[in-house]
């Protein structure tokens, strides 16, 4: 039987996502076998520094992409929110799986919500996007950098006595940790990261066989939403060093994409939206970026870059 080599990071969540891809493809292609090969990425190895301060694109993807280009693996499974908006030459996104809940969740051992957290409560997150939006809504909070996979961050919350941490709902659900009580943050307060909750499969651009194979798990509405969000981020030239959030939702042939750009301290938050057809998702993302740039997002982004992502 033809064996397909599937690459993934070796975190628990990444392996869950890769197994989901493998199981889904095995159902669609019963004559094929799939083997999982895991890698440690730069982002997995550097855990004592906030992502924004590392200042490198492809923190969680580069090692897999090198293996893909070298033929060590046939496809790479990623969290779409980890994928840079510009891929290496010769690679492309072959499929985007059905999206899980893209929202962020506030987890508190004491059962606090964002509204009931005590004044100056310590809340853990290393995401500039989350920090800026939380600071905008609750400027009194002390926002603390916290890195590591989901179980590690949950353990650090208890060990370091944090009042709460903020995590992606999708990761909690996929690891069967959604039984942990938490408050789903409304999008009106906290827009998610671009691509959050979606799994992507990266392949070589000229590999027609892999393109045909992975197409079996592509979810067109999710793909349209994610492509719109990525076009928005690409137009703003943003990454993990910039507080940018976006969410596109699809109903039939219609799409609405919301976007946010914030200053590092959260004092300035610009939000807007665009309605469009799903047939032109990237045009919708670019249009939303233009709207925010016209309202001054460029000035905010320049200030963020000058500060080097350090709040």
């Amino acid at each position: 039987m033809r064996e397909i080599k599937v690459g993934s990071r070796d975190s628990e969540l990444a392996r869950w996502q890769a197994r989901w891809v493998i199981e889904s493809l095995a159902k669609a292609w019963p004559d094929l076998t799939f083997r999982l090969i895991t890698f440690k990425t730069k982002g997995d190895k550097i855990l004592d520094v906030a992502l924004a301060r590392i200042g490198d694109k492809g923190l969680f993807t580069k090692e897999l992409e090198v293996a893909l280009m070298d033929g060590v693996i046939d496809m790479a499974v990623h969290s779409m929110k980890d994928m840079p908006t510009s891929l290496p030459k010769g690679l492309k996104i072959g499929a985007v799986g059905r999206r899980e809940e893209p929202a962020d969740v506030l987890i508190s051992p004491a059962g606090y919500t964002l509204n009931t957290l005590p004044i100056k409560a310590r809340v853990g997150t290393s995401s500039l996007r989350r920090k800026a939006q939380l600071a905008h809504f609750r400027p009194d909070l002390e926002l603390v950098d916290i890195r590591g996979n989901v179980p590690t961050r949950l353990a650090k919350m208890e060990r370091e006595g944090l009042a709460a941490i903020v995590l992606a709902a999708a990761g909690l659900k996929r690891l069967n940790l959604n039984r942990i009580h938490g408050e789903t943050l409304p999008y009106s307060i906290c827009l998610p990261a671009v691509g959050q909750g979606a799994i992507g499969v990266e392949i070589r651009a000229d590999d027609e066989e892999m393109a045909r194979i992975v197409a079996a798990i592509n979810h067109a509405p999710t793909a349209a939403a994610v492509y719109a969000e990525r076009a928005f981020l690409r137009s703003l030239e943003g990454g993990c060093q910039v507080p940018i959030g976006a969410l596109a939702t699809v109903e039939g042939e219609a799409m609405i994409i919301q976007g946010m750009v914030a200053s590092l301290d959260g004092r300035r938050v610009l939000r807007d939206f665009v309605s469009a057809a799903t047939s032109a998702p990237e045009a919708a993302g670019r249009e939303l970026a233009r709207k925010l740039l016209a309202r001054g997002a460029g000035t905010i982004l320049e200030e963020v870059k000058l500060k080097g992502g350090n709040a």
Side-chain angles (χ1 to χ4, degrees):
M1 293 176 74
R2 170 87 158 91
E3 182 182 72
I4 308 298
K5 297 183 287 295
V6 180
S8 165
R9 292 167 57 198
D10 71 351
S11 73
E12 186 178 358
L13 179 57
R15 282 186 274 111
W16 185 98
Q17 294 177 161
R19 287 195 300 270
W20 177 84
V21 168
I22 287 172
E23 290 167 6
S24 301
L25 290 178
K27 290 178 183 177
W29 302 97
D31 293 335
L32 300 176
T33 61
F34 298 85
R35 177 159 61 98
L36 177 61
I37 302 175
T38 59
F39 300 80
K40 269 198 178 296
T41 65
K42 182 176 180 179
D44 295 315
K45 296 172 184 175
I46 304 175
L47 295 176
D48 56 349
V49 180
L51 290 176
R53 294 181 183 137
I54 300 173
D56 187 17
K57 292 184 178 180
L59 283 173
F60 297 106
T61 61
K62 187 175 181 180
E63 287 79 359
L64 278 80
E65 290 174 331
V66 170
L68 186 55
M69 289 186 284
D70 289 346
V72 175
I73 56 177
D74 299 301
M75 63 180 73
V77 179
H78 305 286
S79 293
M80 283 302 306
K81 72 174 183 177
D82 291 337
M83 294 193 73
T85 55
S86 296
L87 303 184
K89 186 177 180 181
L91 300 181
K92 70 175 184 179
I93 298 169
V96 181
R98 181 188 289 271
R99 194 174 212 167
E100 187 50 83
E101 169 61 64
D104 288 319
V105 176
L106 183 110
I107 304 292
S108 170
Y112 291 122
T113 66
L114 186 56
N115 279 314
T116 63
L117 279 166
I119 299 294
K120 297 185 178 179
R122 298 172 70 234
V123 178
T125 174
S126 62
S127 161
L128 293 183
R129 170 190 61 83
R130 289 171 178 152
K131 281 183 177 180
Q133 293 181 99
L134 291 173
H136 184 72
F137 187 76
R138 285 284 308 267
D140 62 288
L141 296 177
E142 181 184 345
L143 300 169
V144 180
D145 283 333
I146 186 168
R147 288 282 317 284
N149 59 34
V150 173
T152 297
R153 279 181 276 175
L154 289 169
K156 283 183 178 179
M157 172 179 64
E158 300 277 2
R159 187 168 63 248
E160 298 178 15
L162 301 180
I165 62 173
V166 182
L167 299 170
L172 291 169
K173 184 170 183 180
R174 286 169 176 155
L175 292 177
N176 198 31
L177 294 172
N178 54 328
R179 65 184 182 279
I180 298 174
H181 177 72
E183 176 194 16
T184 300
L185 299 178
Y187 299 128
S188 59
I189 293 174
C190 195
L191 278 178
V194 164
Q196 186 158 301
I199 298 170
V201 183
E202 191 175 19
I203 60 174
R204 290 180 287 275
D206 61 356
D207 194 335
E208 295 181 4
E209 180 193 21
M210 285 306 114
R212 188 169 62 254
I213 289 170
V214 302
I217 63 169
N218 189 64
H219 185 247
T222 298
V226 168
Y227 292 152
E229 293 166 17
R230 286 171 62 80
F232 169 70
L233 184 61
R234 188 185 305 115
S235 297
L236 296 175
E237 299 181 355
C240 64
Q241 296 92 355
V242 180
I244 294 175
L247 179 65
T249 52
V250 173
E251 290 288 341
E253 300 301 315
M255 169 192 294
I256 296 177
I257 175 171
Q258 307 173 65
M260 178 281 302
V261 174
S263 60
L264 289 170
D265 59 12
R267 291 181 181 177
R268 288 172 294 164
V269 174
L270 296 179
R271 293 178 63 130
D272 217 319
F273 72 95
V274 164
S275 299
T278 56
S279 57
E282 296 193 343
R286 291 191 295 269
E287 174 59 23
L288 179 56
R290 282 194 292 269
K291 288 182 74 172
L292 285 174
L293 288 169
R295 292 177 51 197
T299 301
I300 293 175
L301 295 175
E302 282 303 315
E303 290 175 2
V304 170
K305 290 173 184 175
L306 286 172
K307 292 179 181 178
N310 294 312

